């Protein structure tokens, strides 16, 4: 007699297949990973370059903080702003600026009117009036100087090199 095919004794456990391995990933994931790593490398390089380009701003802000603590005159403050400007623009564009031309340069590059008609206008009179900064105007003068150092728009590096005569011809 043949065994009954419908008998429960013929049943076996279900064998589950091996789990699908997550490694190595499919080709599409390799593309996504490669693009993500490349994008991250570009971002890090961009941030490092920006940090390096703005080192003169950080140094200027540090000196402005020392200026406030140690006191000083209008001439010293104007010299500090000129040193910051010389770090960003070619010498021939900035070094000879004085008086109203210097104040207009600060306003045009800072996007303000603080130096021609605001608290910073005292810098244009540094050579003709007493060098001491009146105590009541010091906070507003330092604030507009700090704002200019932090926010002025300098030319792009390639344009800066070309204008200084050191870039490609």
């Amino acid at each position: 007699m043949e065994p009954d095919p419908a008998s429960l004794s013929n049943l076996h456990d279900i064998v589950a297949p091996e789990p699908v391995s997550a490694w190595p990933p499919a080709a599409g994931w390799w593309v996504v990973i490669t693009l993500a790593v490349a994008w991250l490398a570009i971002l890090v390089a961009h941030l490092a370059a920006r940090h390096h380009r703005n080192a003169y701003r950080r140094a200027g802000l540090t000196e402005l903080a020392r200026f406030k603590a140690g006191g000083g005159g209008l001439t010293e403050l104007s010299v500090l702003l000129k040193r910051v400007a010389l770090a960003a623009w070619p010498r021939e564009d900035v070094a000879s600026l004085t008086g109203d031309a210097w104040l207009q340069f600060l306003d045009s590059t800072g996007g303000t009117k603080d130096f021609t008609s605001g608290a910073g206008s005292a810098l244009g009179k540094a050579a003709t009036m007493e060098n001491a900064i009146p105590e009541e105007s010091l906070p507003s003068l330092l604030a507009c100087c700090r704002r200019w150092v932090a926010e002025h728009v300098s030319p792009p590096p390639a344009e800066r090199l070309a204008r200084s005569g050191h870039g490609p011809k």
Side-chain angles (χ1 to χ4, degrees):
M1 166 155 133
E2 294 243 350
D4 181 15
S7 168
L8 292 177
S9 62
N10 291 333
L11 292 179
H12 300 287
D13 286 337
I14 298 175
V15 178
E18 290 290 320
V20 177
S21 173
W23 196 260
W29 283 110
W30 284 111
V31 171
V32 169
I33 291 168
T34 302
L35 290 175
V37 168
W39 178 81
L40 187 61
I42 290 169
L43 178 66
V44 167
H46 173 73
L47 291 175
R50 188 171 105 192
H51 181 76
H52 179 71
R53 276 193 317 269
N54 287 321
Y56 76 97
R57 290 180 197 260
R58 290 187 304 278
L61 290 170
T62 300
E63 288 201 35
L64 261 176
R66 283 191 209 131
F67 183 89
K68 182 178 181 180
L74 291 170
T75 304
E76 290 86 0
L77 187 57
S78 187
V79 166
L80 172 60
L81 293 180
K82 183 81 66 130
R83 286 180 31 225
V84 170
L86 285 170
W89 284 272
R91 178 169 290 283
E92 50 278 347
D93 291 354
V94 176
S96 63
L97 296 176
T98 58
D100 289 338
W102 172 235
L103 297 179
Q104 288 171 356
F105 171 83
L106 292 172
D107 275 344
S108 67
T109 57
T112 68
K113 294 289 181 198
D114 289 344
F115 294 97
T116 52
S117 60
S121 63
L123 291 177
K125 302 170 187 136
T128 58
M129 63 186 261
E130 188 177 316
N131 193 29
I133 301 171
E135 191 67 34
E136 64 276 358
S137 65
L138 181 64
S140 58
L141 178 60
L142 287 177
C144 76
C145 291
R146 192 175 311 108
R147 193 171 33 257
W148 182 83
V149 170
E151 299 173 4
H152 67 266
V153 178
S154 58
E159 181 183 327
R160 196 175 327 151
L161 282 174
R163 291 172 70 192
S164 68
H166 300 294
K169 310 251 184 246

